[in-house]
Amino acid sequence: MNADLFKLTEIAVSEEHLWNGVVRTPEGRLFASMPGWLGPTPGVVEVLPSGRLIPFPGNDWNRWGQSGCSSSQCFVDVNSIVLDGRGSLWVVDAAAPFFGPAIENAVKLVELDVTTGRIRRVITLPEKLAHVGTRLAHMRFHGDHAFVAESKEGSMFVIDLRNNSVRRVLVGHPLMRCDPEDLPSIEGRKMTQNGRPMYFHHDLFAFGSDPDRLLFMCLFGRCIFQVPVSALKNPQWNDEDIARCASVAFTLDGPFVSGLANDQTGRLYLADGENNGVSQLDPDGKVTPLIRDSRLSWPIGPSVGTDGCLYLIAGQVHRTPQFSGGEDRVQRPWRMFRLQLPP
């Protein structure tokens, strides 16, 4: 076997801000997201080949918290970024800094031209759907629609990109909610948020071997569910109709999943928050650990590049004050890695 397979290479660090996701364009450019969990950040940065981080697009969008910057026109709390394969970088702004309530009229999806940084569109989610008690998580695309996970109440947003219309489905449905038993232990401590059990409900997305079935799950969940995208796209279908079409795609004995990505072959890659690693999930359900490395402390925000590598962040979220009992245990800097995947 090629000795470079499963080699974990550190490619960048962030000295000042926590980051939570990374994507690589086909041309080789790297972009990372920086949430507002610990305070104001640029939101999105480009990682230059030298390792230098520069705000993207490099204007007022990256200056939330500074005088005169409107929350509706700044990246407030970027929970994820994703490439759409059509030349755009999409920014999912939960607009809920410090893990607090979402800011009214600031919960949004921002589409940027990845080449120029020009804003192509901003979809501000209606307050009646994306209210103070919601938290946007991740985003995936299928044709002329996008799907966005919401992890605080547990729901899914369906966006028709032809007219930017928004629907919210399966709010609080059991498919969208964590199993109370799925509470991981990281570094010998059960995960809590401000002293209470930490649950992030519907959070992760992927497409597997069937490109017309969306896979979804809760953070640290044991079950990966699937649903036909046709059921989600049909505006005449209610929650009961959609749920009837959903089923369990995989039931995992482990690991606890802190991040989910897929490649073009339908294989899934599971970030393992408990064991500082990455595992591969084949279409037949076989789980194969690829790497365990102490540097991968709470691996988060993985994505597969066209170069056949997995990119991910060591988020150390469990070491931040909200999740550590009030003490800042983060070992700075935060680190970004590249993992060569099997062919």
Side-chain angles (χ1 to χ4, degrees):
M1 181 177 289
N2 188 329
D4 288 333
L5 287 183
F6 317 129
K7 179 182 178 181
L8 190 69
T9 304
E10 181 179 304
I11 55 176
V13 300
S14 174
E15 298 284 352
E16 185 176 358
H17 300 299
L18 181 154
W19 47 15
N20 63 345
V22 53
V23 296
R24 179 188 185 273
T25 71
E27 296 75 30
R29 295 172 70 188
L30 287 175
F31 296 90
S33 52
M34 292 180 166
W37 299 343
L38 301 179
T41 76
V44 180
V45 295
E46 182 172 4
V47 183
L48 300 184
S50 65
R52 181 184 170 212
L53 311 179
I54 58 172
F56 185 82
N59 51 31
D60 284 348
W61 279 95
N62 303 111
R63 300 189 183 112
W64 182 72
Q66 300 181 27
S67 177
C69 288
S70 166
S71 297
S72 63
Q73 296 295 314
C74 291
F75 300 139
V76 177
D77 175 29
V78 177
N79 210 23
S80 62
I81 53 177
V82 62
L83 297 166
D84 66 1
R86 300 175 180 177
S88 290
L89 176 72
W90 286 78
V91 180
V92 180
D93 189 356
F98 301 101
F99 278 104
I103 298 173
E104 296 178 358
N105 300 313
V107 180
K108 55 190 174 293
L109 310 171
V110 183
E111 180 187 9
L112 298 98
D113 185 307
V114 76
T115 301
T116 66
R118 179 179 62 86
I119 300 295
R120 287 181 167 173
R121 79 177 108 179
V122 179
I123 302 176
T124 301
L125 274 60
E127 183 185 339
K128 64 180 181 180
L129 300 180
H131 53 75
V132 296
T134 57
R135 179 181 296 281
L136 301 190
H138 293 91
M139 184 178 190
R140 292 293 183 267
F141 299 92
H142 187 279
D144 50 21
H145 280 68
F147 310 103
V148 181
E150 185 277 309
S151 64
K152 199 165 185 178
E153 291 185 317
S155 64
M156 188 186 305
F157 288 91
V158 180
I159 318 293
D160 187 333
L161 298 174
R162 295 169 297 184
N163 55 19
N164 297 338
S165 62
V166 180
R167 295 167 54 230
R168 189 181 181 206
V169 299
L170 299 173
V171 180
H173 192 279
L175 290 167
M176 301 278 107
R177 302 283 293 183
C178 292
D179 184 329
E181 298 298 318
D182 290 343
L183 188 64
S185 293
I186 300 180
E187 296 182 347
R189 184 170 50 86
K190 286 288 187 181
M191 289 308 304
T192 60
Q193 180 179 0
N194 299 323
R196 299 180 178 181
M198 184 211 72
Y199 296 116
F200 288 90
H201 299 295
H202 177 221
D203 191 274
L204 304 176
F205 278 139
F207 282 100
S209 56
D210 184 344
D212 295 320
R213 285 185 175 269
L214 181 65
L215 302 174
F216 62 96
M217 68 183 302
C218 298
L219 192 71
F220 294 116
R222 296 288 193 185
C223 284
I224 300 178
F225 298 96
Q226 61 184 351
V227 65
V229 291
S230 58
L232 298 170
K233 291 182 178 183
N234 191 335
Q236 305 303 318
W237 281 32
N238 59 28
D239 287 357
E240 183 178 343
D241 297 326
I242 296 170
R244 192 180 300 116
C245 291
S247 61
V248 175
F250 303 100
T251 300
L252 305 173
D253 292 328
F256 271 115
V257 181
S258 58
L260 185 63
N262 63 274
D263 65 17
Q264 296 301 311
T265 71
R267 290 179 297 198
L268 301 176
Y269 299 95
L270 316 176
D272 183 347
E274 282 194 306
N275 299 299
N276 302 333
V278 176
S279 295
Q280 177 180 298
L281 174 60
D282 291 332
D284 63 3
K286 179 183 177 182
V287 176
T288 305
L290 299 183
I291 192 169
R292 299 287 182 266
D293 192 304
S294 60
R295 294 175 294 170
L296 284 177
S297 180
W298 193 311
I300 192 173
S303 66
V304 178
T306 55
D307 59 349
C309 294
L310 183 76
Y311 293 83
L312 73 169
I313 300 293
Q316 300 190 67
V317 180
H318 58 297
R319 296 174 177 170
T320 62
Q322 293 100 326
F323 301 102
S324 69
E327 180 183 355
D328 187 349
R329 300 179 181 179
V330 173
Q331 297 176 10
R332 291 169 174 76
W334 286 275
R335 302 179 187 277
M336 177 186 294
F337 296 95
R338 178 181 64 238
L339 179 67
Q340 179 67 51
L341 295 174

